[in-house]
Amino acid sequence: MTTQQLISEIKRKKSFLCIGLDVDLNKIPKYLLEKEDPIFAFNKAIIDATHHLCVAYKPNTAFYEAYGIKGWQALEKTINYLNKNHPEIYTIADAKRGDIGNTSSMYAKAFFEDLGFDSVTVAPYMGKDSVEPFLAFQDKHTILLALTSNKGAFDFQTKIVDGTELYKEVLKTSKTWENSRNLMYVVGATKAEYLAEIRNIIPDSFLLVPGVGAQGGNLQDVCKYGMTKNIGLLINSSRGIIYASQDENFAEAAAKKAEELQGQMKQILQF
Amino acid sequence: MTTQQLISEIKRKKSFLCIGLDVDLNKIPKYLLEKEDPIFAFNKAIIDATHHLCVAYKPNTAFYEAYGIKGWQALEKTINYLNKNHPEIYTIADAKRGDIGNTSSMYAKAFFEDLGFDSVTVAPYMGKDSVEPFLAFQDKHTILLALTSNKGAFDFQTKIVDGTELYKEVLKTSKTWENSRNLMYVVGATKAEYLAEIRNIIPDSFLLVPGVGAQGGNLQDVCKYGMTKNIGLLINSSRGIIYASQDENFAEAAAKKAEELQGQMKQILQF
């Protein structure tokens, strides 16, 4: 999917919501565990109930790998279901990969070609030649970790290098990489006040913003400091939406939570 | 496996060689492609021919993910084969994972418990709470990326933060984390001259050293600057060993290459 198509969908749906499909078998309704593929059954129900309210879904690969082959099958089924039934929806493999050049190419092939995701999250620590193999794919996005939503972000990301914070150095340096137009960035909502300065460095790039809801980030603040004329934001919520209820009505409860967020987004987009 | 058991195996085998099982179907002998599981068939042949010469195997997960479900099945079969037939061999999932706390726990469970690896490589960018969930597992090692063997290592890892290079800051900071005794570190052989300074910060930790062979690193230099009284080194070679030949004799050819390296290690260990 191109950036322009994503922007069109955001405007059409009046939503820049991304729903994180982080399925933990200990947290889903018990009756689903009797299904042949509980993870996919859960995802399908969530997708069916929420697809009109969001523009993107983001499975975090850790939650699938934790269930081995069955987990990977559920991930495949989920992305296939999305690509077949909702091709207008943007898909993010939250994999946080990154390796030396030829190995990053293998990851890029896995997520972009074989699984057919629109984008994948990538860690910057190994530098240019670990990220460029992802950037080489046309109409696919590489979402680089910049400033994450967890406490550990302050261990290294905010340390000063060459007179600026490491995450800003990552932003600046990544702009010089080949096909950098295919970059988006992860910036945690828990650090909304940083967004103004981030926008000085990357005025137009899309940001994937986790941490609204369960992690305490505030939607209004994120939009105030981070929104661009083309919106430029994908706000992710995972647990706050998908685990709204553990009863049989879990999908409706999730839709209600998604609708609350989408309602706020609709208001923000009107201004 | 405990660190002490690993050291004992190194002394017994007179080898600190780790063989990287990075299987690319374009590079393995053509006749294997007709087998039901070409990746596992290749790995099994390599393991059968080289297990007496090395102390560790390191599959890089990218090469398995690139083949989807079949790839994961091959990875499972490979680790099961190793754990069943060669429990004395140390196993490394070269996955370069790392995520927010609860998500890192899922990855740790996947690699340590479900797959049964002895260790996993982890990226440091997200800091303490992204690594500690891995460190919580007893008799398992977390191998943190410090200074990698690729060119991109100079993009961020060698930048100066708080008066020292970022990778040294990673080493220093990681020592303060809970269960830091379970840490090992990735330090590329292509930067052997850095090892003396690294040893000032982490005098005893084991280092996983990629980049000998195909990437141009030198074994003697690595040992000169990086070896400790308990050896403290695992030298990885992947392509240089497993793709020594593309003929039917590929496993023997791999063993010959492994034997060359092991021979050099044996000599070094005598001094």
Side-chain angles (χ1 to χ4, degrees), chain A residues 78-172:
Chain A
T78 302
I79 182 69
N80 290 344
Y81 185 76
L82 281 169
N83 283 338
K84 187 178 169 194
N85 296 285
H86 304 288
E88 78 287 359
I89 290 210
Y90 189 75
T91 53
I92 302 168
D94 194 2
K96 300 187 176 69
R97 299 297 197 263
D99 209 307
I100 61 170
N102 69 325
T103 312
S104 270
S105 297
M106 300 299 270
Y107 279 130
K109 180 183 170 297
F111 288 107
F112 290 150
E113 285 186 357
D114 300 344
L115 289 168
F117 277 95
D118 290 312
S119 62
V120 61
T121 58
V122 170
Y125 191 71
M126 294 179 70
K128 174 175 164 155
D129 57 334
S130 73
V131 182
E132 283 187 343
F134 290 96
L135 294 173
F137 285 74
Q138 212 177 358
D139 297 339
K140 301 282 183 181
H141 291 104
T142 304
I143 310 181
L144 197 64
L145 301 186
L147 185 62
T148 55
S149 59
N150 63 324
K151 270 192 189 172
F154 297 108
D155 284 336
F156 307 117
Q157 296 167 24
T158 55
K159 294 266 161 150
I160 304 297
V161 292
D162 290 348
T164 191
E165 289 94 339
L166 175 61
Y167 76 89
K168 289 186 189 165
E169 186 69 21
V170 167
L171 295 175
K172 283 179 195 168

Side-chain angles (χ1 to χ4, degrees), chain B residues 1 20 74 89 98 104 135 140 142 174 190-191 198 207 236 246:
Chain B
M1 188 183 292
I89 289 210
S104 269
L135 294 173
K140 301 283 183 181
T142 304
S174 68
T190 45
K191 299 171 185 71
I198 287 171
L207 306 180
N236 184 75
Q246 285 199 315

Side-chain angles (χ1 to χ4, degrees), chain B residues 181-239:
Chain B
R181 65 180 177 282
N182 294 333
L183 279 168
M184 296 184 176
Y185 299 92
V186 172
V187 177
T190 45
K191 299 171 185 71
E193 68 273 24
Y194 291 72
L195 280 163
E197 288 180 42
I198 287 171
R199 279 301 180 205
N200 287 333
I201 307 171
I202 43 162
D204 300 316
S205 304
F206 256 83
L207 306 180
L208 171 63
V209 184
V212 164
Q215 292 177 59
N218 179 290
L219 178 65
Q220 277 70 27
D221 285 350
V222 170
C223 294
K224 180 177 166 191
Y225 297 112
M227 191 168 270
T228 69
K229 64 181 192 303
N230 281 320
I231 296 93
L233 296 172
L234 287 172
I235 305 286
N236 184 75
S237 178
S238 304
R239 288 169 280 171

Side-chain angles (χ1 to χ4, degrees), chain B residues 165-177:
Chain B
E165 290 93 338
L166 175 62
Y167 76 90
K168 289 185 188 165
E169 186 68 21
V170 167
L171 296 174
K172 283 178 194 168
T173 304
S174 68
K175 286 172 71 178
T176 68
W177 295 342

Side-chain angles (χ1 to χ4, degrees), chain A residues 66 107 114 125 128 146 155 161, chain B residues 61 66 107 114 125 128 146 155 161:
Chain A
Y107 279 130
D114 300 344
Y125 191 71
K128 174 175 164 155
D155 284 336
V161 292
Chain B
T61 52
Y107 279 129
D114 300 345
Y125 191 72
K128 173 174 165 156
D155 285 335
V161 292

Side-chain angles (χ1 to χ4, degrees), chain B residues 117-138:
Chain B
F117 277 95
D118 291 312
S119 63
V120 61
T121 58
V122 170
Y125 191 72
M126 294 179 70
K128 173 174 165 156
D129 56 336
S130 72
V131 183
E132 283 188 343
F134 290 96
L135 294 173
F137 285 74
Q138 212 177 358

